[in-house]
Short mmCIF file of all heavy atoms in Angstrom, two decimals:
data_model
loop_
_atom_site.label_atom_id
_atom_site.label_comp_id
_atom_site.label_asym_id
_atom_site.label_seq_id
_atom_site.Cartn_x
_atom_site.Cartn_y
_atom_site.Cartn_z
N VAL S 82 -119.56 62.22 -33.37
CA VAL S 82 -118.40 62.62 -32.60
C VAL S 82 -117.16 62.65 -33.49
O VAL S 82 -116.40 63.62 -33.49
CB VAL S 82 -118.21 61.63 -31.43
CG1 VAL S 82 -116.86 61.79 -30.80
CG2 VAL S 82 -119.33 61.81 -30.42
N PHE S 83 -117.00 61.63 -34.31
CA PHE S 83 -115.81 61.57 -35.16
C PHE S 83 -115.93 62.49 -36.36
O PHE S 83 -114.93 62.95 -36.89
CB PHE S 83 -115.54 60.13 -35.57
CG PHE S 83 -115.16 59.29 -34.39
CD1 PHE S 83 -116.04 58.37 -33.86
CD2 PHE S 83 -113.94 59.47 -33.78
CE1 PHE S 83 -115.70 57.62 -32.75
CE2 PHE S 83 -113.60 58.73 -32.66
CZ PHE S 83 -114.48 57.81 -32.14
N ALA S 84 -117.16 62.77 -36.75
CA ALA S 84 -117.36 63.72 -37.84
C ALA S 84 -116.76 65.06 -37.45
O ALA S 84 -116.07 65.71 -38.24
CB ALA S 84 -118.84 63.86 -38.16
N ASP S 85 -116.98 65.47 -36.22
CA ASP S 85 -116.44 66.75 -35.76
C ASP S 85 -114.91 66.72 -35.69
O ASP S 85 -114.23 67.66 -36.08
CB ASP S 85 -117.01 67.11 -34.38
CG ASP S 85 -118.48 67.49 -34.47
OD1 ASP S 85 -118.89 67.97 -35.53
OD2 ASP S 85 -119.19 67.30 -33.47
N VAL S 86 -114.39 65.63 -35.17
CA VAL S 86 -112.94 65.48 -35.09
C VAL S 86 -112.33 65.55 -36.48
O VAL S 86 -111.36 66.28 -36.72
CB VAL S 86 -112.57 64.13 -34.42
CG1 VAL S 86 -111.07 63.92 -34.46
CG2 VAL S 86 -113.10 64.07 -33.01
N LEU S 87 -112.93 64.82 -37.40
CA LEU S 87 -112.44 64.80 -38.77
C LEU S 87 -112.45 66.18 -39.40
O LEU S 87 -111.53 66.57 -40.10
CB LEU S 87 -113.31 63.88 -39.62
CG LEU S 87 -112.90 62.44 -39.70
CD1 LEU S 87 -113.79 61.71 -40.67
CD2 LEU S 87 -111.44 62.34 -40.13
N ARG S 88 -113.52 66.90 -39.14
CA ARG S 88 -113.63 68.24 -39.69
C ARG S 88 -112.47 69.08 -39.18
O ARG S 88 -111.85 69.83 -39.93
CB ARG S 88 -114.98 68.85 -39.28
CG ARG S 88 -115.43 69.98 -40.16
CD ARG S 88 -116.93 70.21 -40.00
NE ARG S 88 -117.36 70.17 -38.62
CZ ARG S 88 -117.33 71.20 -37.78
NH1 ARG S 88 -116.90 72.37 -38.21
NH2 ARG S 88 -117.72 71.07 -36.54
N GLY S 89 -112.15 68.93 -37.91
CA GLY S 89 -111.01 69.66 -37.36
C GLY S 89 -109.71 69.29 -38.04
O GLY S 89 -108.90 70.15 -38.39
N ILE S 90 -109.54 68.01 -38.28
CA ILE S 90 -108.31 67.54 -38.92
C ILE S 90 -108.22 68.09 -40.34
O ILE S 90 -107.20 68.64 -40.75
CB ILE S 90 -108.27 65.99 -38.95
CG1 ILE S 90 -108.18 65.43 -37.52
CG2 ILE S 90 -107.10 65.50 -39.79
CD1 ILE S 90 -108.25 63.91 -37.44
N TYR S 91 -109.30 67.94 -41.09
CA TYR S 91 -109.29 68.42 -42.47
C TYR S 91 -109.06 69.92 -42.52
O TYR S 91 -108.33 70.42 -43.37
CB TYR S 91 -110.59 68.05 -43.19
CG TYR S 91 -110.53 66.67 -43.83
CD1 TYR S 91 -110.86 65.54 -43.10
CD2 TYR S 91 -110.13 66.50 -45.14
CE1 TYR S 91 -110.80 64.27 -43.67
CE2 TYR S 91 -110.07 65.26 -45.73
CZ TYR S 91 -110.40 64.14 -44.99
OH TYR S 91 -110.32 62.89 -45.55
N ASP S 92 -109.70 70.65 -41.60
CA ASP S 92 -109.51 72.10 -41.59
C ASP S 92 -108.05 72.46 -41.33
O ASP S 92 -107.50 73.36 -41.97
CB ASP S 92 -110.40 72.75 -40.52
CG ASP S 92 -111.82 72.94 -41.02
OD1 ASP S 92 -112.12 72.50 -42.15
OD2 ASP S 92 -112.63 73.53 -40.29
N ALA S 93 -107.43 71.77 -40.41
CA ALA S 93 -106.05 72.09 -40.05
C ALA S 93 -105.11 71.82 -41.22
O ALA S 93 -104.11 72.51 -41.40
CB ALA S 93 -105.62 71.28 -38.83
N LEU S 94 -105.43 70.82 -42.01
CA LEU S 94 -104.54 70.43 -43.10
C LEU S 94 -104.85 71.16 -44.40
O LEU S 94 -104.09 71.07 -45.37
CB LEU S 94 -104.63 68.92 -43.32
CG LEU S 94 -103.55 68.12 -42.62
CD1 LEU S 94 -103.39 68.57 -41.18
CD2 LEU S 94 -103.85 66.66 -42.66
N ASP S 95 -105.97 71.85 -44.41
CA ASP S 95 -106.39 72.56 -45.61
C ASP S 95 -105.34 73.61 -45.97
O ASP S 95 -104.96 74.43 -45.14
CB ASP S 95 -107.73 73.24 -45.33
CG ASP S 95 -108.49 73.50 -46.61
OD1 ASP S 95 -108.57 72.59 -47.43
OD2 ASP S 95 -108.97 74.63 -46.78
N GLY S 96 -104.88 73.56 -47.20
CA GLY S 96 -103.89 74.54 -47.63
C GLY S 96 -102.47 74.11 -47.33
O GLY S 96 -101.53 74.68 -47.86
N SER S 97 -102.31 73.13 -46.49
CA SER S 97 -100.95 72.65 -46.23
C SER S 97 -100.58 71.64 -47.31
O SER S 97 -101.38 71.27 -48.15
CB SER S 97 -100.87 71.97 -44.86
OG SER S 97 -101.32 70.64 -44.95
N ARG S 98 -99.35 71.19 -47.30
CA ARG S 98 -98.91 70.23 -48.30
C ARG S 98 -99.41 68.82 -47.98
O ARG S 98 -99.33 67.92 -48.82
CB ARG S 98 -97.39 70.21 -48.36
CG ARG S 98 -96.78 69.70 -47.03
CD ARG S 98 -95.40 70.18 -46.78
NE ARG S 98 -94.54 69.85 -47.86
CZ ARG S 98 -93.31 70.34 -48.01
NH1 ARG S 98 -92.85 71.18 -47.09
NH2 ARG S 98 -92.56 70.00 -49.01
N TYR S 99 -99.92 68.63 -46.78
CA TYR S 99 -100.26 67.28 -46.34
C TYR S 99 -101.68 66.89 -46.72
O TYR S 99 -102.58 67.71 -46.77
CB TYR S 99 -100.08 67.17 -44.83
CG TYR S 99 -98.66 67.48 -44.43
CD1 TYR S 99 -98.31 68.73 -43.93
CD2 TYR S 99 -97.66 66.54 -44.62
CE1 TYR S 99 -97.00 69.04 -43.60
CE2 TYR S 99 -96.34 66.83 -44.30
CZ TYR S 99 -96.01 68.08 -43.79
OH TYR S 99 -94.73 68.36 -43.49
N SER S 100 -101.84 65.61 -46.97
CA SER S 100 -103.19 65.11 -47.21
C SER S 100 -103.46 63.97 -46.23
O SER S 100 -102.59 63.56 -45.48
CB SER S 100 -103.34 64.64 -48.65
OG SER S 100 -102.52 63.53 -48.88
N ILE S 101 -104.69 63.50 -46.26
CA ILE S 101 -105.14 62.55 -45.26
C ILE S 101 -105.46 61.20 -45.87
O ILE S 101 -106.06 61.13 -46.94
CB ILE S 101 -106.38 63.10 -44.54
CG1 ILE S 101 -105.99 64.27 -43.68
CG2 ILE S 101 -107.06 62.02 -43.70
CD1 ILE S 101 -107.15 65.03 -43.16
N GLN S 102 -105.08 60.18 -45.18
CA GLN S 102 -105.53 58.84 -45.54
C GLN S 102 -106.35 58.35 -44.36
O GLN S 102 -105.83 58.17 -43.25
CB GLN S 102 -104.33 57.93 -45.80
CG GLN S 102 -104.70 56.58 -46.33
CD GLN S 102 -105.27 56.66 -47.73
OE1 GLN S 102 -104.76 57.39 -48.56
NE2 GLN S 102 -106.35 55.94 -47.99
N LEU S 103 -107.63 58.15 -44.62
CA LEU S 103 -108.55 57.85 -43.54
C LEU S 103 -108.92 56.38 -43.55
O LEU S 103 -109.17 55.81 -44.60
CB LEU S 103 -109.82 58.69 -43.74
CG LEU S 103 -110.97 58.49 -42.77
CD1 LEU S 103 -110.57 58.95 -41.38
CD2 LEU S 103 -112.18 59.26 -43.26
N ALA S 104 -108.96 55.76 -42.38
CA ALA S 104 -109.43 54.38 -42.32
C ALA S 104 -110.27 54.18 -41.08
O ALA S 104 -110.11 54.84 -40.07
CB ALA S 104 -108.27 53.41 -42.34
N ASN S 105 -111.16 53.22 -41.20
CA ASN S 105 -112.20 52.97 -40.22
C ASN S 105 -111.93 51.63 -39.55
O ASN S 105 -111.94 50.59 -40.20
CB ASN S 105 -113.53 52.96 -41.00
CG ASN S 105 -114.71 52.61 -40.16
OD1 ASN S 105 -114.58 52.36 -38.97
ND2 ASN S 105 -115.86 52.59 -40.79
N THR S 106 -111.67 51.66 -38.26
CA THR S 106 -111.33 50.41 -37.57
C THR S 106 -112.55 49.64 -37.10
O THR S 106 -112.43 48.53 -36.63
CB THR S 106 -110.45 50.69 -36.34
OG1 THR S 106 -111.22 51.41 -35.37
CG2 THR S 106 -109.23 51.52 -36.71
#
Side-chain angles (χ1 to χ4, degrees):
Chain S
V82 167
F83 294 106
D85 289 333
V86 175
L87 269 185
R88 201 160 44 86
I90 295 176
Y91 273 87
D92 278 4
L94 264 47
D95 203 47
S97 82
R98 65 205 304 169
Y99 301 99
S100 66
I101 290 168
Q102 187 68 43
L103 177 66
N105 176 0
T106 67

